[in-house]
Amino acid sequence: MAEIAGDDAPAAPPHVASTSGSQPASNPASTGSSKPPSRTTKPGVKRLVLTASVLLSFLLGLPFLLKSTEIHRSPLPSDAITALAHRLHSNPPSFPCGLHAVFLRSGSGPPDASLATRLERAISDQLQLIPAASTAGNVSVSVTVESAGGCSSSSGVGSRWQCGVVTTADLVLGDEVFDELLHSALGSGSGDGSRVYTVVIVEIDDAEGMRVVIGKHRHAWLAGKIDEAKSVSVIGKVFVKYFMNGGIEGEAGVGKGEFMPVGSDGNVVLSFSLLNADPSDWVYDWEFEKIGERMLNPVVEALRPIAEINIESQVLYHTPKSSYSYSDDKLGGNVLSMGDIPFFVNSNEWHLDTSISATGRSKVLQFVVYIPSAKECPLYLQLPGGRLSKTNAFISPMWGGVLIWNPPDCSLGSKKTHGTRKKMASQELMETLEIFIGQLRQLFGLKPSYLSHDMDLPTKFVVSERGFTEWELDLLYRHHARSNLLSCLTTLESLSSLVHSLPRMIVMDEIGRQVELSLEAASLAQRNATLGISDSSAVSATRARALAEDAFFHPSVMSISYASIEHYFAIYMPFFAPVSLHVLMAAIKELKRYKAERAKYSAFLASGATAS
């Protein structure tokens, strides 16, 4: 029973003696040998080939898998971005310009040849004492002294001044006419090159004191009794305070901070709205298309180097204000204090954002004419000192401006006219638009107007029909060129840092091309800045910033959530790891089996060769 139930192999049969001369049969069981049984046939490779083909198919499919999941990354010119940053930080954009002083003497004798050189040195020393604007580069000073006996100039003359064209007698023609005479004597100045600003000293022997006039081009003049030291001081102040800083002390305000009402793509939409607070009282319309666009087109052309401006207009009804006003019998109307201005705009009822021209990252500036209802008419804006505002208007930085317009038939306690449709008079519309142009100047960081006592001397400013004088435009061009270059650099550095921090981020060829074009435009803006060509530099800087913003906000950048390489493996491992592991284990096992069978067959061949 134990033998039947046991796992041991049965005992070998008794040994049978072989006949003489014969070899005993090999029986491993009888000899107790542990060698594997020999193989008398050559092992086949069919199983090995099948297993290897399955493994090979997986290996051949791996490159296709990697290709199908490959992330396209267009190379970004990181070195060029770094070089641009180094140039802008080490040498910020500055615009060289020239200052030419012209002394029109009343004497008949020839001018002293050394006088021009001495005055040039004195003006240069005066400019060293006055802090200049950050965008001002090297200033080349030149002087011309002209009298009835001749004309003498210093060696560094860079002006187109034509001697003998303008005389002291031309002052009687008026400031506007004299301004144009100076413009013709100095040339149009439309050619490319650094800007030259001219200050003319007109000597009048019988005049009392001196007066200063700032023209609408790139020149100013002083008229009166000439005191050499006083003239040199006034020339330096006029050049630095107005031509370089726009009449603003220091550098604050112009083209900085909140005073940058231009979209990142260089587009601005000026939206003009006429708001009828209560149409049941009266309804007003305007002829904006005929009058407004004619007045604003020169402004649009003047600002074209720094912004592409579109103009829109609309008339809205049922637009009450959201702030409160109180009645004042002394003033004969309702008063709105400055503390209530932040709550004046009723965003719930004023549906102003209906622009069809504002696309992408364009900036919309709202200019609103508010017509109060009969119960709150007339409505006045009271300044902090208790005085009433002359314009009855206010601005909101980066938003626009509001003007409260009281109709002609508006009075305290006026009666309703039951929705009578009227039209704003052309003269009143023109005055309204002049106020809006002044608000636009403020939004760009300039003064709405200049006071006659801004300097120690009586000062007059010739107004330009474009709303901006040439020297004011130069100032805006310089500041916007510098600001846009720095903004372009910040955007490009952010994009480069983002791409390097996300190895799985898609970078399309279009993004790389936009970055290259942005760098080219930035380099061109820098080159024009070193030459003093402010308008061309502003155009290139605006384009550089717009291209950098387009690259950073490209749809392909924002459409995919980028994951790390670990997340990438976590997605595909559950699909391919189990199958691949089994195929690999099967191939290894089959290879081992084939080697073992091949070893057995080799041993059989070796034993056969020994026996023979």
Side-chain angles (χ1 to χ4, degrees):
M1 294 293 293
E3 293 179 358
I4 297 175
D7 294 334
D8 297 337
H15 177 69
V16 180
S18 60
T19 58
S20 176
S22 63
Q23 297 293 334
S26 177
N27 192 339
S30 62
T31 58
S33 175
S34 60
K35 293 181 179 181
S38 61
R39 183 184 181 95
T40 59
T41 59
K42 184 177 181 179
V45 296
K46 182 183 296 185
R47 291 175 56 181
L48 180 62
V49 171
L50 290 175
T51 307
S53 63
V54 175
L55 178 62
L56 183 63
S57 64
F58 273 82
L59 296 178
L60 292 177
L62 182 61
F64 294 97
L65 173 65
L66 296 178
K67 187 65 178 178
S68 63
T69 58
E70 181 183 16
I71 298 299
H72 178 73
R73 293 171 64 87
S74 177
L76 294 183
S78 302
D79 295 339
I81 297 175
T82 304
L84 176 64
H86 177 73
R87 293 197 305 269
L88 289 179
H89 292 315
S90 61
N91 187 22
S94 59
F95 298 80
C97 57
L99 171 59
H100 186 61
V102 179
F103 289 80
L104 297 180
R105 312 301 294 266
S106 58
S108 58
D112 186 3
S114 62
L115 179 60
T117 304
R118 187 175 72 252
L119 290 173
E120 176 186 334
R121 189 180 304 110
I123 295 173
S124 299
D125 295 339
Q126 176 69 19
L127 293 180
Q128 298 295 329
L129 303 176
I130 305 176
S134 60
T135 56
N138 296 327
V139 180
S140 59
V141 181
S142 57
V143 175
T144 298
V145 180
E146 180 181 346
S147 64
C151 189
S152 175
S153 300
S154 62
S155 57
V157 172
S159 174
R160 298 182 177 89
W161 176 261
Q162 302 175 18
C163 295
V165 175
V166 179
T167 63
T168 57
D170 294 328
L171 280 176
V172 298
L173 300 176
D175 292 333
E176 285 74 12
V177 177
F178 191 75
D179 186 38
E180 294 301 327
L181 288 175
L182 287 179
H183 185 56
S184 62
L186 293 167
S188 61
S190 59
D192 291 339
S194 61
R195 303 298 183 240
V196 178
Y197 301 91
T198 305
V199 181
V200 181
I201 311 298
V202 184
E203 183 178 349
I204 303 176
D205 294 333
D206 56 351
E208 296 181 359
M210 298 177 61
R211 61 186 292 264
V212 181
V213 181
I214 311 295
K216 62 182 178 181
H217 302 288
R218 297 185 181 94
H219 51 256
W221 63 92
L222 287 71
K225 285 187 177 180
I226 298 300
D227 178 77
E228 185 174 310
K230 182 67 173 178
S231 300
V232 170
S233 176
V234 173
I235 289 173
K237 290 181 180 179
V238 168
F239 176 75
V240 174
K241 183 175 182 179
Y242 293 104
F243 293 157
M244 292 292 104
N245 287 329
I248 301 175
E249 297 293 341
E251 303 177 31
V254 181
K256 290 192 173 185
E258 67 272 16
F259 294 102
M260 284 292 292
V262 180
S264 58
D265 57 355
N267 293 327
V268 179
V269 177
L270 304 182
S271 179
F272 295 86
S273 302
L274 180 64
L275 272 57
N276 293 274
D278 191 353
S280 62
D281 296 337
W282 41 59
V283 177
Y284 275 88
D285 199 353
W286 56 3
E287 296 180 344
F288 188 88
E289 290 78 8
K290 183 173 65 174
I291 300 176
E293 295 184 0
R294 186 181 71 248
M295 291 186 62
L296 294 174
N297 282 337
V299 179
V300 172
E301 292 299 323
L303 297 177
R304 189 173 300 278
I306 59 177
E308 187 69 28
I309 299 179
N310 296 311
I311 298 176
E312 294 181 350
S313 64
Q314 60 181 346
V315 179
L316 300 179
Y317 308 96
H318 300 286
T319 54
K321 59 182 177 60
S322 58
S323 60
Y324 294 96
S325 58
Y326 62 92
S327 177
D328 192 325
D329 295 335
K330 294 182 179 180
L331 299 176
N334 295 279
V335 177
L336 179 69
S337 63
M338 294 294 292
D340 295 326
I341 283 181
F343 312 100
F344 187 87
V345 177
N346 189 349
S347 57
N348 294 326
E349 301 290 341
W350 296 9
H351 303 290
L352 303 177
D353 297 329
T354 58
S355 173
I356 60 176
S357 300
T359 58
R361 296 175 300 278
S362 301
K363 179 65 181 177
V364 179
L365 294 179
Q366 304 287 350
F367 292 95
V368 175
V369 178
Y370 178 79
I371 304 177
S373 60
K375 65 180 180 180
E376 59 180 2
C377 194
L379 181 62
Y380 300 115
L381 179 62
Q382 189 176 36
L383 300 177
R387 297 180 295 105
L388 296 182
S389 172
K390 295 180 179 179
T391 61
N392 215 28
F394 62 91
I395 68 167
S396 177
M398 296 300 295
W399 185 85
V402 176
L403 183 144
I404 302 174
W405 183 69
N406 297 306
D409 54 350
C410 171
S411 60
L412 188 62
S414 57
K415 299 181 180 180
K416 298 182 179 182
T417 57
H418 303 288
T420 304
R421 302 188 67 90
K422 301 180 180 180
K423 187 164 292 187
M424 182 184 292
S426 300
Q427 183 63 30
E428 292 176 337
L429 178 57
M430 294 174 64
E431 294 175 356
T432 299
L433 291 175
E434 289 177 356
I435 295 175
F436 282 151
I437 292 175
Q439 291 181 340
L440 184 63
R441 291 168 53 87
Q442 286 184 280
L443 293 174
F444 274 94
L446 297 173
K447 288 185 175 182
S449 61
Y450 298 97
L451 303 177
S452 60
H453 56 273
D454 280 353
M455 297 183 64
D456 298 335
L457 300 174
T459 307
K460 179 182 178 180
F461 297 86
V462 180
V463 180
S464 173
E465 63 277 359
R466 299 190 298 174
F468 296 85
T469 60
E470 290 186 14
W471 55 270
E472 287 176 328
L473 292 175
D474 290 341
L475 178 67
L476 290 179
Y477 297 160
R478 292 194 299 266
H479 280 276
H480 277 259
R482 179 172 183 174
S483 177
N484 285 334
L485 279 176
L486 295 177
S487 178
C488 168
L489 174 62
T490 302
T491 304
L492 292 178
E493 287 181 331
S494 300
L495 178 61
S496 179
S497 176
L498 179 65
V499 170
H500 284 90
S501 64
L502 296 175
R504 299 287 303 167
M505 175 181 174
I506 296 177
V507 182
M508 301 186 67
D509 293 334
E510 184 179 358
I511 296 178
R513 181 59 179 165
Q514 287 173 340
V515 172
E516 293 176 356
L517 293 176
S518 177
L519 291 171
E520 292 177 3
S523 299
L524 181 59
Q526 281 187 295
R527 192 179 308 114
N528 289 329
T530 57
L531 297 176
I533 312 174
S534 55
D535 51 352
S536 298
S537 180
V539 172
S540 299
T542 301
R543 184 169 184 268
R545 181 190 178 190
L547 288 169
E549 295 283 342
D550 290 341
F552 189 83
F553 292 102
H554 195 274
S556 65
V557 175
M558 308 299 296
S559 61
I560 300 177
S561 178
Y562 304 106
S564 62
I565 192 68
E566 291 82 2
H567 187 261
Y568 173 76
F569 279 107
I571 293 176
Y572 292 102
M573 287 294 286
F575 294 97
F576 297 100
V579 178
S580 301
L581 183 61
H582 281 80
V583 172
L584 181 62
M585 294 296 294
I588 295 174
K589 183 177 180 181
E590 183 60 29
L591 181 61
K592 289 182 177 180
R593 186 200 67 80
Y594 177 77
K595 288 182 177 181
E597 295 298 325
R598 185 62 181 262
K600 292 178 183 179
Y601 180 66
S602 299
F604 170 73
L605 295 179
S607 63
T610 303
S612 63

